[in-house]
Amino acid sequence: MKREYQRWYSPNLERDMELLIFGHRGTPILFFPTRMARFYDYEDWGVIGAIRDKISRGKIQVYCVDSVDGNSFYAKDLHPSERVKRHSCYEKYILNEVIPLIKSRNKNPGLISAGCSLGAFHAVNLCFRYPHLFKKVIGMSGRYDLTLKLQYFDDLFDGYWDENVYFNTPVQYLQNFNDEQLIRSLQKIEIILAIGLEDAFLENNILLSTLLQEKGIRNRLDFLPGEAHKARYWGELLQQYL
């Protein structure tokens, strides 16, 4: 299996950013890390190993990007408005730097957005905001409202709310989603969500799936037994979904 490390200075984030590329061809996967995790964690946790055969056979090519969660959503020293602005810089990094890299390296017209935990938020939110870029999105163990406070998960904006928070909260903006062109674009995408029956954000996933259905946007919501916020589940799911 081909493995390649990339690092460059990001003008959008004003810092060096790193990523790993697994595979030589196939459908490209933009794979977001979990909460506060790094670009190499999916490899270390065996998630990449679980889909190694698909990568080696050239069915898929996986781009494991890094996160800046510690400088955005989890930067408690910043005002919440600054946290979400920092996230917007990360979004620009993905749109203006990472995706062009993928397109320059892989001529496959399809692009899949995927992630686990907070990575599922990144994958789904980006896909919903820019559906023309993707053919499929996979969100595993995701949380699609970062203002929720449940169990050991905090409201990442400490009660603060503005337009930027709204437009980065899928279960909020979907309720008022009436742009027909965007809806038609989302209807063309394969949307897959997976959540454990005992996971904290079970109801949040059900709400997201329901809101999509109400807009005529088909989606698949899979339930796993117990608390499924674990890497071994994610690897097994990816074997099915990719």
Side-chain angles (χ1 to χ4, degrees):
M1 176 178 67
K2 183 179 179 182
R3 178 187 186 274
E4 181 180 347
Y5 168 78
Q6 288 275 340
R7 175 176 179 161
W8 69 85
Y9 178 81
S10 165
N12 288 287
L13 290 168
E14 300 182 329
R15 55 174 276 187
D16 284 353
M17 292 295 290
E18 302 167 278
L19 58 80
L20 283 171
I21 306 170
F22 296 94
H24 57 286
R25 60 182 172 86
T27 303
I29 318 295
L30 175 60
F31 203 7
F32 291 94
T34 64
R35 175 178 48 151
M36 301 286 282
R38 300 300 309 279
F39 65 101
Y40 49 75
D41 283 326
Y42 285 132
E43 181 182 29
D44 290 350
W45 297 339
V47 177
I48 295 299
I51 53 175
R52 182 186 184 96
D53 182 60
K54 296 177 187 291
I55 297 171
S56 297
R57 288 189 289 110
K59 183 177 180 181
I60 57 175
Q61 186 182 45
V62 184
Y63 292 76
C64 288
V65 295
D66 213 349
S67 78
V68 297
D69 298 334
N71 299 116
S72 58
F73 297 136
Y74 285 88
K76 292 297 187 179
D77 57 321
L78 297 179
H79 188 272
S81 63
E82 292 302 316
R83 295 175 208 165
V84 72
K85 286 179 183 176
R86 188 65 174 165
H87 164 70
S88 295
C89 293
Y90 179 66
E91 181 181 88
K92 290 175 183 176
Y93 157 72
I94 296 295
L95 293 172
N96 300 327
E97 300 179 52
V98 176
I99 291 180
L101 170 72
I102 295 173
K103 290 183 176 180
S104 73
R105 303 289 297 273
N106 189 316
K107 301 307 179 184
N108 191 305
L111 177 60
I112 297 173
S113 181
C116 312
S117 184
L118 190 62
F121 161 82
H122 286 299
V124 168
N125 188 49
L126 189 74
C127 178
F128 287 4
R129 284 165 58 84
Y130 307 96
H132 62 286
L133 296 174
F134 303 97
K135 75 168 189 177
K136 180 190 288 190
V137 61
I138 303 168
M140 296 168 283
S141 305
R143 170 189 186 183
Y144 307 107
D145 184 347
L146 303 186
T147 70
L148 280 179
K149 182 177 176 62
L150 289 172
Q151 296 180 16
Y152 47 85
F153 294 94
D154 292 332
D155 170 0
L156 297 186
F157 302 111
D158 303 324
Y160 176 81
W161 188 93
D162 65 11
E163 266 199 359
N164 285 332
V165 173
Y166 172 80
F167 284 112
N168 283 284
T169 307
V171 296
Q172 292 186 21
Y173 62 67
L174 273 176
Q175 296 184 46
N176 302 306
F177 208 54
N178 296 309
D179 186 313
E180 291 299 326
Q181 184 175 350
L182 281 175
I183 289 173
R184 285 195 298 271
S185 294
L186 283 170
Q187 287 171 336
K188 297 175 183 177
I189 297 172
E190 184 179 358
I191 300 171
I192 303 174
L193 307 172
I195 191 75
L197 288 169
E198 295 179 13
D199 284 347
F201 295 105
L202 172 63
E203 294 301 323
N204 191 235
N205 278 254
I206 294 172
L207 173 59
L208 178 62
S209 178
T210 300
L211 290 171
L212 289 168
Q213 291 170 4
E214 290 174 350
K215 299 294 182 181
I217 302 167
R218 290 180 298 175
N219 65 96
R220 171 179 173 179
L221 175 59
D222 287 346
F223 300 108
L224 286 76
E227 204 278 328
H229 206 101
K230 298 178 176 69
R232 68 179 180 87
Y233 284 107
W234 301 331
E236 292 170 2
L237 289 170
L238 286 176
Q239 290 174 6
Q240 301 175 41
Y241 297 154
L242 295 176

